[in-house]
């Protein structure tokens, strides 16, 4: 018997393939179309033949989306998107690994224990997989959420993904390093896009612009995120392990000393990555403000494999204890 995630994925997959043929579009575009149809319980594309429209409506109706939990919907949609990305590969179409998304959701929940409501921004929202994983992990907290991405197809997928999970996410299809129409937020989550930023004129607005040559996009994303964070707000970045040893690292360190407090650096298991150069960590920052104190000691950990349940539970107990100690100071 199929699990709920397998059942959902099968419907996403079969209906997307049918729409791909009917609409003469890519599989990834068809995933967005079928997701929107499923949300509305109808076939919205006029180009679809009457016979196939009937087949699609039958599949949507029989699925009964309301019986599924948000995490089941997110995971099934993620599987369909991953299948599409393998066929439609572009370097910036990378999805945060699921175990990492869930771990970030846990960190956001624990660091914001005292908040009843949150405003959350993901400035590199992609398909909103990370953002909705975080929202699903908040367990009853009210959340207003925002996402921005330059890629119009990814923003459409994010819109559909959020709708299917009934998260009212406000999305912006734009270069996230240009001004955003977002009030300052309590939390930023971001799997940092790593590389050079091509727009030198816009980069000139940033303190972290390169002194010569092209600026690092990932540095500018950190600065931009801090601009849109409230004083005392938290930022959770997925960073390359080389962030603080790269050629422009000195400049980044100086900037962070002025603008933020490093709360933690959590190294992800090396087994998750093809090689050491691709390895990543979670960087936790808190924006400086009147009541913001430096931690007694920064949370520095090397995470075990996520599949090692007992080691992960011990590590999470250690992180929980650190957070409790810091909150009580």
């Amino acid at each position: 018997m199929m699990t709920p995630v397998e059942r959902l994925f099968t419907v996403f997959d079969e209906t997307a393939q049918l729409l791909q043929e009917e609409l003469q579009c890519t599989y990834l575009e068809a995933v967005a179309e079928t997701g929107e149809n499923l949300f509305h319980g109808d076939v919205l594309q006029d180009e679809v033949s009457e016979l196939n429209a009937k087949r699609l409506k039958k599949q949507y109706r029989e699925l009964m989306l309301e019986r599924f939990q948000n995490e089941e919907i997110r995971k099934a949609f993620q599987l369909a998107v991953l299948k599409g990305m393998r066929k439609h590969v572009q370097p910036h179409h990378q999805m945060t690994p699921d175990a990492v998304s869930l771990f970030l959701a846990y960190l956001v929940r624990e660091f914001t224990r005292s908040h009843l409501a949150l405003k959350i921004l993901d400035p590199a929202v992609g398909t909103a997989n990370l953002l909705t994983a975080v929202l699903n992990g908040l367990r009853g907290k009210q959340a207003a959420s925002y996402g921005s991405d330059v890629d119009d197809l990814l923003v459409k997928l994010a819109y559909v993904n959020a709708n299917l999970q009934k998260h009212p996410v406000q999305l912006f299809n734009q270069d996230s390093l240009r001004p955003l129409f977002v009030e300052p937020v309590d939390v930023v989550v971001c799997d940092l896009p790593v590389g050079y930023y091509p727009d030198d004129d816009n980069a000139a607005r940033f303190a972290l612009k390169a002194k010569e040559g092209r600026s690092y996009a990932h540095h500018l994303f950190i600065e931009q995120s801090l601009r849109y964070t409230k004083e005392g707000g938290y930022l959770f970045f997925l960073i390359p392990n080389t962030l603080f040893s790269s050629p422009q690292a000195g400049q980044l360190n100086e900037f962070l000393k002025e603008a933020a407090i490093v709360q933690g650096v959590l190294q992800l298991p090396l087994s998750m990555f093809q090689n050491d150069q691709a390895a990543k960590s979670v960087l936790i920052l808190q924006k400086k403000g009147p009541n913001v104190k430096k931690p007694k000691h920064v949370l520095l950990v090397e995470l075990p494999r996520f599949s090692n349940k007992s080691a992960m539970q011990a590590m999470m107990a250690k992180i929980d204890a650190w957070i409790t100690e810091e909150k009580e100071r």
Side-chain angles (χ1 to χ4, degrees), residues 205-228:
R205 299 189 308 114
F206 290 82
L208 287 174
K209 66 180 181 291
K211 291 188 169 65
E212 51 186 54
R214 283 270 150 93
S215 302
Y216 282 145
H218 39 299
H219 288 194
L220 303 185
F221 264 88
I222 291 172
E223 182 176 341
Q224 180 79 329
S225 297
L226 279 159
R227 273 182 191 166
Y228 288 92

Side-chain angles (χ1 to χ4, degrees), residues 58 109 162 262 292 304:
K58 184 171 183 284
R109 184 172 69 247
V262 176
V292 177

Side-chain angles (χ1 to χ4, degrees), residues 120-140:
I120 303 179
L121 167 68
D122 184 343
V125 75
T127 63
N129 183 56
L130 171 59
L131 180 57
T132 57
V134 168
L135 293 172
N136 290 340
L138 288 178
R139 296 182 185 164

